[in-house]
């Protein structure tokens, strides 16, 4: 039986809607960070009267949102850091700020725009394979109240709708148990996916060949301030390191903790005076897994090569370690058991620091701090020849998911990392 034109239109609409739901689920929990200047008509306005809605199950429903203060340099801004925040937090939306929304909350356009006096405008987030629409309301009676992430400073635990992470009581750079919703070890037991976050800074002490290495345990970050929100908690932490009585390292870290993602903005400074003590400094940052045997790893810059966690480093994996990092990069790791992570390292424009893949795969190798034997695997980045006497900035982004939503590594990375086109149009009176 042939379908009539209206039936064909309904079928097409249903297929588009289903495809949109499938694609949206592929970014479950991902937080959009939309520059406020994309919503230019709201810049300078107080943020409190505005809320966001989207079409869900055919109805216009309130969705959670959050305005996050950012500096003009692109870091989260805190009153505790005069380099990022020089103006009082008066509740106004500033052009450098960012609007946070959950990608999965975006919906289709309204079929018929209702005549509502408090409808301010339409925010369209356009991806190559999906278009999401949010509606901006002013003084709306209904509000979204659910919160998706929390940081307990007393217990040093992050809890979100999808994962939990505990840290050492006196050092938030020493990560301990990490659990992800739905992940289990082959034994069926609930065990930490993570051994530890590992930070290494090496340098020649007085001479190039007299190398010293500092680890997380030598870094004692102080939490200066926190910003709480339904979609993200932001933390500002500072670290100072001295060698032979000389300050050789200053770090400002800005953590943006979200339901399935963590952004770590890092501003490193090796003061010029450090040259009197150290030379040829290097840095590595990595995550060590807990017995993730059978896991697979791919990167954006090593072609179709695939690393597999089996307790040894193959010749192909050795070639992957030797390839220099590209500016636009990602590392994808899949446990094969319901937990994947996508990592990206971004440098400030113009930075030219040599960086490589750090990949260790060993049943017995020790690389302190260590809680479980072996490096299964230890994956991250190494950076050599860090500049002395100037600020060095990079952003580490970690995206967590169940199984990359069934996509292969490259398609999933494109799906998560591609920046959408943003269009904001105010409602005509």
């Amino acid at each position: 039986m042939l379908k009539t034109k209206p039936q064909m239109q309904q079928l097409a609409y249903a297929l588009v809607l289903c495809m949109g739901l499938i694609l949206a689920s592929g970014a479950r929990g991902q937080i959009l960070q939309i520059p406020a200047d994309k919503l230019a008509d709201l810049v300078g306005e107080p943020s409190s009267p505005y809320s966001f809605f989207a079409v869900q199950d055919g109805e216009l429903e309130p969705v959670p949102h959050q305005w996050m203060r950012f500096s003009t340099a692109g870091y989260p801004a805190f009153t505790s850091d005069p380099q990022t925040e020089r103006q009082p937090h008066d509740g106004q939306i500033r052009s450098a700020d960012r609007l946070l929304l959950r990608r999965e909350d975006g919906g289709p356009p309204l079929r018929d725009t209702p005549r509502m006096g408090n409808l301010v405008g339409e925010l369209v987030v356009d991806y190559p394979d999906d278009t999401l629409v949010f509606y901006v309301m002013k003084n709306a009676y209904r509000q979204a109240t659910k919160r998706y992430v929390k940081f307990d400073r007393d217990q040093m635990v992050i809890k979100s709708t999808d994962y939990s992470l505990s840290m050492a009581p006196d050092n938030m750079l020493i990560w301990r148990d990490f659990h992800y919703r739905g992940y289990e070890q082959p034994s069926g037991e609930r065990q930490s996916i993570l051994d530890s976050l590992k930070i290494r800074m090496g340098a020649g002490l007085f001479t190039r060949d007299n190398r010293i290495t500092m680890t997380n345990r030598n870094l004692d970050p102080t939490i200066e301030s926190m910003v709480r929100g339904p979609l993200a908690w932001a933390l500002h932490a500072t670290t100072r390191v001295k060698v032979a009585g000389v300050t050789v390292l200053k770090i400002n870290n800005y953590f943006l903790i979200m339901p399935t993602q963590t952004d770590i903005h890092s501003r490193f400074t090796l003061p010029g005076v450090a040259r009197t003590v150290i030379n040829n400094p290097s840095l590595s940052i990595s995550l060590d897994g807990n017995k993730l045997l059978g896991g697979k790893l791919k990167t954006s810059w090593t072609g179709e090569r695939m690393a597999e966690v089996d307790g040894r480093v193959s010749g192909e994996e050795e070639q992957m370690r030797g390839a220099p990092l590209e500016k636009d990069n990602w590392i994808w790791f899949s446990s094969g058991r319901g937990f994947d992570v996508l990592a990206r390292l971004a440098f400030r424009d113009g930075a030219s620091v040599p960086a490589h893949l750090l990949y260790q795969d060993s049943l017995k190798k020790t690389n302190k701090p260590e809680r479980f034997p072996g490096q299964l695997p230890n994956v991250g980045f190494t950076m050599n020849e860090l500049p002395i006497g100037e600020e060095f900035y990079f952003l580490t982004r970690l995206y967590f998911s169940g199984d990359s939503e069934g996509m292969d590594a490259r398609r999933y990375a494109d799906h998560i990392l591609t920046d959408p086109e943003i269009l904001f149009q105010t409602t005509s009176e």
Side-chain angles (χ1 to χ4, degrees), residues 246-304:
V246 175
T247 299
V248 298
L249 179 62
K250 298 178 182 179
I251 309 174
N252 277 281
N253 281 131
Y254 313 107
F255 297 85
L256 203 56
I257 302 165
M258 294 165 279
T260 60
Q261 177 183 342
T262 296
D263 289 0
I264 307 174
H265 297 255
S266 302
R267 289 171 48 217
F268 279 72
T269 304
L270 289 84
V273 69
R275 291 192 183 93
T276 64
V277 179
I278 64 171
N279 58 66
N280 193 30
S282 62
L283 176 72
S284 69
I285 300 176
S286 61
L287 292 175
D288 183 11
N290 177 23
K291 302 181 182 67
L292 301 180
L293 290 164
K296 299 183 185 301
L297 178 140
K298 290 193 76 170
T299 82
S300 59
W301 69 95
T302 54
E304 295 305 311

Side-chain angles (χ1 to χ4, degrees), residues 19-37:
M19 182 60 69
L21 291 173
I22 291 170
L23 291 168
S25 69
R28 178 184 143 73
Q30 185 183 1
I31 301 299
L32 304 173
Q33 300 181 35
I34 301 173
D37 60 8

